[in-house]
Amino acid sequence: LRTDSTVAQLREVARQCRVVSRVVFRGRLGREEVAALLRSADVAVCTPWYEPFGIVPLEAMACGVPVVGSAVGGLLDSVVHDGTGVLVPPRDPRAISGAIGALLADEPRRTRMGASAARRVARLFSWDGVARQTAQIYDGILRVAPRYAGSAELA
């Protein structure tokens, strides 16, 4: 961790921002440690410029933590704006800090969003939820497929 160039850069940013005493670089965590750490957070911040799926927001949501996320890629599917978290424009530090500040200042809202987030992950992103959605897609394909059976389009 001490030789990681990204961590070194981030330590320097923390020093320049005079928050070094409040920043901890934990290094790699075991799977069993991740949930407890996430549950200890008031808000999870996931603000990439591009994200095809985004497992970290889902892990935070599963732990009942609302997410401030960039309105990009997979976060548009997983985070419900003002329901399970807050979506902000990518590359917009003011919007990010405003969303974080608003959530930190409103514990009842955070609690509602966290509960909604955990329910959403359990319903849509558990193995059962993913299997149910996959089966629905296949059922839809099978309902359409007979129209094409024996046609040149399938050959």
Side-chain angles (χ1 to χ4, degrees), residues 5 11 26 37 49-50 53 57 59 62 74 83 90 102-103 118 120 137-138 141:
S5 63
R11 284 186 203 281
R26 303 276 312 226
L37 186 61
W49 300 336
Y50 169 79
F53 183 70
E59 289 174 330
L103 282 175
R120 181 172 175 78
I137 290 168
Y138 283 134
I141 292 168

Side-chain angles (χ1 to χ4, degrees), residues 27-75:
R28 181 170 167 75
L29 297 175
R31 301 267 323 130
E32 65 283 350
E33 298 171 281
V34 173
L37 186 61
L38 285 170
R39 279 192 297 274
S40 74
D42 293 317
V43 176
V45 180
C46 304
T47 54
W49 300 336
Y50 169 79
E51 180 62 66
F53 183 70
I55 193 70
V56 172
L58 289 176
E59 289 174 330
M61 290 168 56
C63 291
V65 177
V67 172
V68 172
S70 297
V72 298
L75 277 77

Side-chain angles (χ1 to χ4, degrees), residues 9-22:
Q9 290 173 335
L10 292 172
R11 284 186 203 281
E12 179 58 23
V13 169
R15 188 192 63 73
Q16 290 173 9
C17 294
R18 291 178 250 173
V19 295
V20 73
S21 65
R22 299 182 345 202

Side-chain angles (χ1 to χ4, degrees), residues 113-128:
M113 285 183 167
S116 292
R119 286 191 303 271
R120 181 172 175 78
V121 169
R123 187 178 76 251
L124 297 177
F125 299 100
S126 67
W127 285 115
D128 287 343

